[in-house]
Amino acid sequence: MASKPSILHLGDPPRWHADLYSKLTTHFNVITPTAAERERPEFLKALKEKRWGNFIAIMRPFWNTGGEGGRVDREMISLFPEGVKVYASAGAGFDWVDTDILAERGMIRWFIRTWSHQSY
């Protein structure tokens, strides 16, 4: 049996929409780095070491957590596995991520504007 593809989940554990998150975990191996691993120096080190394997997507489902690594820039993006095709993030704006570099890598950028914990 083939293993499920992996997604890197940046941020705290989900607080809302547990049923949706549960469905996600049936189709994907969701990897959640610790808070310490999300700090930029350790995050970059982990990417260089391929600590989380060849994940195919990155999700940051809450606007107030998961950004501990700082700006998603050329240095960081260059360390993503080649198979990463999606960067999904909740929030209002995306000036903290270099979308041009994501595009150069052929990655889909999916930014979800959030005003509260509810889905719209």
Side-chain angles (χ1 to χ4, degrees), residues 4 14 16-28 30:
K4 299 185 282 188
W16 302 285
H17 307 294
D19 56 333
L20 183 60
Y21 192 80
S22 179
K23 284 182 188 178
L24 185 71
T25 62
T26 64
H27 299 285
F28 298 94
V30 179

Side-chain angles (χ1 to χ4, degrees), residues 18-108:
D19 56 333
L20 183 60
Y21 192 80
S22 179
K23 284 182 188 178
L24 185 71
T25 62
T26 64
H27 299 285
F28 298 94
N29 175 36
V30 179
I31 302 164
T32 307
T34 65
E37 288 176 312
R38 295 190 312 255
E39 294 293 331
R40 189 172 182 96
E42 189 61 25
F43 190 72
L44 295 178
K45 179 181 176 192
L47 289 172
K48 287 175 186 172
E49 294 172 350
K50 301 187 183 316
R51 189 178 301 169
W52 303 302
N54 290 316
F55 52 92
I56 62 164
I58 301 167
M59 68 175 190
R60 183 177 162 231
F62 304 115
W63 65 270
N64 62 344
T65 181
E68 299 86 350
R71 183 163 171 75
V72 180
D73 56 10
R74 183 177 298 276
E75 178 186 22
M76 183 181 293
I77 295 167
S78 73
L79 297 173
F80 293 165
E82 285 187 34
V84 175
K85 295 299 176 196
V86 175
Y87 191 102
S89 181
F94 49 90
D95 56 335
W96 51 270
V97 63
D98 193 329
T99 58
D100 292 335
I101 304 302
L102 293 180
E104 283 178 16
R105 289 277 308 259
M107 294 176 64
I108 296 170

Side-chain angles (χ1 to χ4, degrees), residues 3-15:
S3 63
K4 299 185 282 188
S6 296
I7 295 175
L8 193 63
H9 171 184
L10 301 180
D12 294 337
R15 290 182 265 169

